[in-house]
Amino acid sequence: MTFNALRPVATRVIDPLADFFIRYEVSPDTVSIISLICAFFAGLSFYYSPEYKELTLLAGILVVFNSLFDALDGVIARKSNRATPRGDFLDHVIDRYSDIFIICSIFFAGYASWQIGVAAIVGVLLTSYLGTQAQALNLGRYYGGIMGRADRLVVIIIAAFANSVYPASIAGFSILGWAVILIAVTSHITAVQRIFYIWNRLD
């Protein structure tokens, strides 16, 4: 899925920003840490948003910045010839913590039940694990499936903005609640897709 139609637009934004950071010698690792900070405060905003409704919009904006900086670190590393295994490792660790901060905060805030939330975060972490497990098995890192990380972030951003405008429930769940349900279902479908992909390429 990965919203391929948005890639040309994203590239036009990210490339000039990457050049700006390179010009001022900002390291890819620093940018990765900034993305984690954005995710942490997005999580806090989601958690307190049932009490302070305006925080839902702020959370969505912070997820946008988390996504932006997460995309930037790799581009900066490649353009400045500073890509390293250590940086790649840091990026993946930060991505997982970011997923946990954002998704767990949404269901901790009560937008979805803890059962649905646990199903969502387990699916998210499992899909990420399978992507890197393919690489560990010398199959190359695999990002296929209907719900990759970029897709999840776009779903959360749209849901946060929509929820800030229309916070009422729809068939028992708010828009953010439905986003968690969507992520829970599609992440496990993606995990199964990745399992079959890897399994079919092993001896």
Side-chain angles (χ1 to χ4, degrees), residues 141-184:
R141 193 172 293 164
Y142 183 60
Y143 295 112
I146 63 170
M147 182 63 77
R149 185 165 196 269
D151 308 306
R152 290 195 302 271
L153 292 173
V154 170
V155 167
I156 291 169
I157 289 164
I158 292 172
F161 290 162
N163 209 104
S164 69
V165 175
Y166 187 80
S169 294
I170 303 171
F173 293 95
S174 66
I175 295 171
L176 272 170
W178 282 111
V180 175
I181 293 170
L182 176 63
I183 290 168

Side-chain angles (χ1 to χ4, degrees), residues 90-193:
L90 177 66
D91 180 55
H92 280 273
V93 171
I94 285 176
D95 283 351
R96 299 297 74 76
Y97 271 108
S98 296
D99 289 336
I100 291 167
F101 285 150
I102 293 168
I103 294 171
C104 288
S105 294
I106 294 172
F107 73 84
F108 286 170
Y111 289 105
S113 68
W114 70 265
Q115 293 94 336
I116 294 171
V118 169
I121 196 62
V122 168
V124 165
L125 295 177
L126 186 57
T127 57
S128 300
Y129 164 78
L130 289 166
T132 53
Q133 182 64 14
Q135 184 180 28
L137 293 169
N138 297 316
L139 299 175
R141 193 172 293 164
Y142 183 60
Y143 295 112
I146 63 170
M147 182 63 77
R149 185 165 196 269
D151 308 306
R152 290 195 302 271
L153 292 173
V154 170
V155 167
I156 291 169
I157 289 164
I158 292 172
F161 290 162
N163 209 104
S164 69
V165 175
Y166 187 80
S169 294
I170 303 171
F173 293 95
S174 66
I175 295 171
L176 272 170
W178 282 111
V180 175
I181 293 170
L182 176 63
I183 290 168
V185 173
T186 55
S187 291
H188 285 282
I189 293 172
T190 301
V192 171
Q193 289 176 307

